Amino acid sequence: TGDSNAGLRNTGDRNTGDNNTGDHNTGNYNTGFFNTITPPIMMFNKPTKIKREDIIFPKFLYFSLTEWVTKEDATKEEKRKYKKELKTCGGFLKRLDYKTAFRIAWNKAPYEEHKMLLDLPNWDNEVFKEISGIDAEKKIEEERVKNQC
C-alpha cells in the first residue's frame, strides 16, 4: 500500500525494506519515517530486545479472515442467500470476524502450538485474551489435564 515501495508488505511510501509502516524506511519492520535499522519489536504492549526474525510464532497465528463454504456445508440461510454462487461456483467465500477466525485457527491447532504462546517475549494472557477472545492459559491448562487422563 502506498507509492514507490521496493520491499514487501509495506504501508506508506518509498520504503525499500519489508513490513514497514511509514515513509522512507530501508530497514525491516519499522514504524515511522527515515529508518535504516531493523528495530526490536513490541510484544504484548511492551518493548523487547528481540528482532522479529528471531521469534518463532505458532503457525496457527497466521489465519485467514475468509473461508470457502461448499454447497454441502452451507446452512439453509446461506443456501438461500448465496444461491447463485453455490450454483455457479459450488460454494462461496465467507467473511469471518477477527475473533471467530482466531478461534477457528486455535481449535485446529495442536496442543504443542498452543503451549508455544507461553514462550513468546513479554507473554501476557490478558492482552492475548483481549485480542483473540481466548483465555489461552486456561485452555492450555485444560488441555494439559485432559492429556494426562
Side-chain angles (χ1 to χ4, degrees), residues 9 15 21 23 28-29 34 37 39 43 46 57 79 83 90 100-101 103 107-108 115-116 123 126 136-137:
R9 296 174 296 280
N15 293 297
T21 301
D23 299 339
N28 299 323
Y29 301 102
F34 300 104
I37 63 167
M43 291 197 63
K46 298 175 201 140
F57 289 93
K79 286 178 182 175
K83 185 176 181 176
T100 298
R103 173 67 66 183
N107 290 341
K108 290 180 180 178
K115 288 192 312 183
M116 288 174 67
W123 167 252
E126 291 304 310
E137 290 178 358

Side-chain angles (χ1 to χ4, degrees), residues 74-129:
T75 65
K76 286 182 181 180
E77 173 66 23
E78 290 169 338
K79 286 178 182 175
R80 188 176 53 70
K81 184 176 179 181
Y82 298 102
K83 185 176 181 176
K84 181 179 177 183
E85 291 88 344
L86 291 167
K87 183 177 181 181
T88 306
C89 304
F92 67 96
L93 198 57
K94 181 178 184 177
R95 292 183 188 168
L96 303 170
D97 69 77
Y98 186 77
K99 288 185 179 180
T100 298
F102 213 127
R103 173 67 66 183
I104 290 168
W106 171 275
N107 290 341
K108 290 180 180 178
Y111 173 66
E112 291 74 26
E113 279 195 43
H114 295 164
K115 288 192 312 183
M116 288 174 67
L117 290 173
L118 306 179
D119 294 328
L120 292 175
N122 300 333
W123 167 252
D124 187 311
N125 192 62
E126 291 304 310
V127 172
F128 184 81
K129 186 168 41 172

